[in-house]
Amino acid sequence: MMPASGRNRRLLTQWLWAVLDAALWPVSALAGLWLRFDFTLPPSLLWPTLWAAALAGMGQVAFGLWLGPYAVSHWRGSYEEALELARVTLITTVVALGVVLTLTPPNVPRTIPVLAGPLVLTLSFGCRFAVRAWRYRSRTPEPHVRRALVLGAGDSARHLLRSLRAHDAGLVPVGLLDDDPRKSRFRLEGLRVLGCRDDLARVAAATTATTLVVAIPHASADLLREVNEAALRVGMEVLVMPPVESLLGPATHVTELRRVSPADLLGRRPVALDLRSIADTLRGKRVLVTGAGGSIGSELARQIAAFRPEMLCLLDRDESGLHATQLSIGGAALLDSEDTALADIRDTAALDQVFATIKPEIVFHAAALKHLPLLETHPLEAWKTNVLGTANVLEAAAAHQVAVFVNISTDKAADPISILGQSKRITERLTAGFGDTHPGKYISVRFGNVLGSRGSVLHSFSAQIARGGPITLTHPDVERYFMLIPEACQLVLQATALGQDGDVLVLDMGEPKRIADVAKLMIEMSGRQDIDIVVTGLRHGEKLTEELFGADEVGSPTDHPLVTRVAAPPVDITVVRTAIPLTHIEAAELLSSHGTGSVTPQPGDAGAPTSTEQCAPAPSLQSAAHTVA
């Protein structure tokens, strides 16, 4: 709530502008009279004209309080204020002309309102723009306030400059940079374009700016790396702003400015979405997201919420994660309604109850165990959660006639050699199997590492740098694909709209990055030169370079250039249900056998193994299965 002093100051300002606009009517009427009679003022018409103009000024204030600009606090000189001011002045002019026309005999020339109205409007605009320009030019940064250059001179920069001037952010813009030669010496919100990116050092020295704000919503990682390197050379801090639209979100606010991060320099890329197709898929639907407390699930939920589904249910076994996700979506987290479900995907009864209550039409299945080295040690947990948990969700979706099921997979499922990859490969094949045998659309979406997710390499390296090092690296040549969480989730939603039954949709992750280069970049950005890098060796199940496609997979294009379609050999769920591993060794054997090769059901025997892969449980598991039965 605005303090009383602030409200009083705002009301006083509005009334001062109303009085000024009213006073402009007598001035403009006299000017019109002077023009009407060839630069003379007839004494007999002087006072009638002034009285009529004074009444018109009062009418201007009355109409302005009713329709516009004096009843609302506008940004001075903004489009909204100009539009309302023009409307009120036009109405006042028409009414004044009507009054003059009805006077008998007329004691004010009928042309006076026609001449005075446009002049009043012109003078009103001029006064406002003059005050606005004076305020911008008269602001002198205080010694403790950072002086900033803004890279970009477009609409995003305009929003940013207005926000910086409307809030005390300790940051004062002093100039603009833009690479467009047509914007040389261009002015925006009172600031001039002083050069391009190559002029950064010169302009920074001339303006004593210490901060560079990148006001380019979809700046690529390559551009940000170049800008960051140039800024570091001259000792400037770099701040970035999110996209103005932020996927249907609000306009950028100054508080959203943040320091450039390694994620910005590695994974940011422009993603053009077909928002209409995504909206048609999600709007008005009942949507369930499993693993909604995790990094991917929570961001998916936030982006889905922007498309106004009829209901968005968040499912997770982590109550703290659910609380955080719901808080980020609605600004409150009461956790007392049907849109949050505390359940474990291993629990079939709990899942069935959730599906029966929510009746989802679309399911995004993001719940999974994902830490590769941990699952290498505990493969039975991977089997229980990633394989059986996914089977449970698939069966619940089929039983409750879900229209669209989206399984979130990973690039480690392509020619898998790790427990994580093998378990996720099985989920792709299970999903494809349901696509073959059940109504509705069942698809998987496969992508690589997401920057900033919990447990990601960036978090690990940041923690090691904070402790003073060293940074541990498994191999100097290890490479990984990276993408920002929001961008990965945007493409997941896009893939949902264009995927076909049984597809595995592979997202284009760009070029893989060397982890050693990531480590060096983070050390450089930390400003510490005493951090060492220690090579520890590849871990079991870890590849030197990840692939997005398996050796026997052939991709085909989709309607989106960043999404490719591949086929997954379907596997029947009974193959999974009949396997009952009791130890981690048995689970590892099952994952290895089911997560590689291919399964082609024989005619009349859905899900039967071929000679290329033994899909039945290992002998030791057969006896265990009979014992449990």
Side-chain angles (χ1 to χ4, degrees):
M1 181 178 294
M2 182 181 295
S5 59
R7 291 196 300 271
N8 293 337
R9 185 165 55 251
R10 185 192 66 185
L11 291 174
L12 178 61
T13 300
Q14 290 174 215
W15 274 108
L16 286 174
W17 281 109
V19 171
L20 173 64
D21 292 341
L24 290 176
W25 271 98
V27 174
S28 300
L30 288 178
L33 187 65
W34 183 61
L35 293 171
R36 169 66 177 78
F37 289 96
D38 298 328
F39 311 114
T40 60
L41 292 173
S44 61
L45 298 178
L46 185 61
W47 287 111
T49 300
L50 286 175
W51 276 110
L55 291 174
M58 289 187 284
Q60 170 99 5
V61 174
F63 289 128
L65 290 173
W66 176 36
L67 299 173
Y70 316 126
V72 180
S73 181
H74 288 289
W75 183 271
R76 197 63 55 215
S78 65
Y79 169 79
E80 292 79 14
E81 184 185 45
L83 182 64
E84 292 189 1
L85 190 61
R87 179 174 57 182
V88 168
T89 305
L90 176 62
I91 293 174
T92 304
T93 301
V94 172
V95 172
L97 180 62
V99 171
V100 170
L101 290 175
T102 58
L103 291 177
T104 305
N107 55 357
V108 176
R110 299 171 184 178
T111 56
I112 297 304
V114 177
L115 293 171
L119 188 56
V120 168
L121 186 60
T122 301
L123 292 174
S124 296
F125 285 166
C127 291
R128 283 164 170 78
F129 292 138
V131 168
R132 179 173 172 178
W134 175 79
R135 284 181 176 176
Y136 286 171
R137 291 179 179 272
S138 64
R139 288 189 62 177
T140 302
E142 299 179 11
H144 67 280
V145 175
R146 293 176 296 167
R147 300 167 69 92
L149 294 174
V150 177
L151 178 60
D155 289 338
S156 297
R158 186 186 301 277
H159 286 292
L160 174 66
L161 293 174
R162 289 182 177 181
S163 186
L164 286 172
R165 282 170 171 144
H167 301 84
D168 184 13
L171 195 68
V172 174
V174 294
L176 302 170
L177 297 174
D178 198 288
D179 289 337
D180 188 346
R182 295 172 298 178
K183 292 184 178 179
S184 176
R185 304 181 66 85
F186 175 75
R187 286 191 179 274
L188 185 68
E189 298 293 318
L191 287 181
R192 204 184 81 187
V193 174
L194 303 176
C196 60
R197 272 187 295 156
D198 295 338
D199 300 317
L200 177 60
R202 174 184 61 80
V203 175
T207 59
T208 66
T210 59
T211 302
L212 177 66
V213 182
V214 181
I216 303 174
H218 295 293
S220 66
D222 291 338
L223 172 61
L224 288 176
R225 279 196 298 271
E226 293 177 11
V227 170
N228 187 64
E229 291 171 1
L232 288 176
R233 285 195 295 268
V234 296
M236 296 185 73
E237 177 188 33
V238 179
L239 301 179
V240 295
M241 57 187 288
V244 174
E245 63 275 7
S246 297
L247 196 63
L248 309 182
T252 302
H253 187 276
V254 66
T255 57
E256 295 179 354
L257 288 177
R258 56 177 175 79
R259 296 187 63 180
V260 65
S261 69
D264 296 315
L265 305 181
L266 293 171
R268 177 177 292 218
R269 62 186 306 175
V271 176
L273 300 177
D274 181 0
L275 296 179
R276 176 172 295 181
S277 66
I278 298 175
D280 290 343
T281 303
L282 297 174
R283 183 171 294 139
K285 303 296 175 57
R286 302 177 68 84
V287 183
L288 171 68
V289 178
T290 72
S295 303
I296 296 296
S298 60
E299 178 62 24
L300 266 176
R302 282 187 289 270
Q303 294 194 16
I304 292 168
F307 289 96
R308 301 178 184 176
E310 177 186 335
M311 182 179 188
L312 173 59
C313 180
L314 313 175
L315 184 148
D316 205 293
R317 66 177 181 179
D318 179 1
E319 58 179 351
S320 298
L322 283 176
H323 180 273
T325 303
Q326 191 180 60
L327 188 64
S328 70
I329 293 175
L334 301 179
L335 301 178
D336 59 354
S337 60
E338 290 183 348
D339 59 0
T340 51
L342 186 63
D344 193 327
I345 61 172
R346 294 182 179 184
D347 188 339
T348 56
L351 280 177
D352 186 71
Q353 182 178 359
V354 170
F355 274 75
T357 302
I358 303 303
K359 298 179 175 59
E361 299 168 83
I362 303 174
V363 173
F364 290 89
H365 176 48
L369 299 177
K370 64 177 185 178
H371 289 285
L372 186 148
L374 199 60
L375 296 185
E376 289 297 314
T377 308
H378 303 281
L380 184 57
E381 297 304 307
W383 179 265
K384 291 178 180 178
T385 296
N386 292 0
V387 178
L388 294 183
T390 298
N392 294 339
V393 180
L394 281 166
E395 287 186 323
H400 294 275
Q401 299 178 341
V402 166
V404 179
F405 183 96
V406 183
N407 170 50
I408 305 300
S409 188
T410 171
D411 59 352
K412 293 172 178 60
D415 288 341
I417 64 170
S418 65
I419 296 298
L420 171 59
Q422 290 160 355
S423 65
K424 296 301 287 184
R425 179 58 173 170
I426 296 174
T427 68
E428 291 180 354
R429 299 176 61 195
L430 282 172
T431 304
F434 270 73
D436 281 354
T437 57
H438 293 81
K441 182 168 69 175
Y442 290 81
I443 63 174
S444 294
V445 180
R446 182 193 297 173
F447 52 87
N449 299 274
V450 285
L451 291 165
S453 63
R454 289 185 296 189
S456 71
V457 65
L458 295 189
H459 288 181
S460 301
F461 286 173
S462 296
Q464 290 175 334
I465 291 173
R467 289 196 301 266
I471 284 181
T472 56
L473 188 66
T474 59
H475 193 282
D477 295 324
V478 70
E479 294 180 328
R480 292 293 180 267
Y481 291 97
F482 288 111
M483 180 177 276
L484 293 178
I485 295 177
E487 293 157 351
C489 291
Q490 289 172 24
L491 284 177
V492 168
L493 297 184
Q494 185 68 78
T496 301
L498 55 84
Q500 299 176 5
D501 210 9
D503 280 346
V504 176
L505 297 168
V506 184
L507 306 187
D508 183 353
M509 302 290 295
E511 295 298 322
K513 306 292 191 304
R514 291 178 70 248
I515 303 299
D517 293 339
V518 176
K520 293 174 183 176
L521 173 65
M522 295 188 65
I523 293 173
E524 179 182 349
M525 293 186 64
S526 71
R528 303 183 60 172
Q529 304 301 323
D530 58 339
I531 304 296
D532 295 325
I533 298 177
V534 176
V535 177
T536 60
L538 286 176
R539 297 169 294 191
H540 185 265
E542 189 175 29
K543 297 178 181 179
L544 195 63
T545 300
E546 296 286 1
E547 301 94 8
L548 292 175
F549 302 93
D552 59 345
E553 291 181 330
V554 178
S556 58
T558 66
D559 292 337
H560 196 282
L562 298 181
V563 181
T564 302
R565 175 184 296 114
V566 299
V571 63
D572 192 87
I573 194 170
T574 56
V575 175
V576 170
R577 290 299 190 197
T578 54
I580 307 177
L582 301 179
T583 67
H584 289 304
I585 294 176
E586 293 175 343
E589 292 174 353
L590 272 175
L591 288 165
S592 177
S593 64
H594 296 342
T596 57
S598 61
V599 173
T600 304
Q602 298 296 328
D605 187 16
T610 67
S611 59
T612 61
E613 177 180 354
Q614 182 62 38
C615 289
S620 60
L621 298 178
Q622 294 281 19
S623 58
H626 290 303
T627 302
V628 173

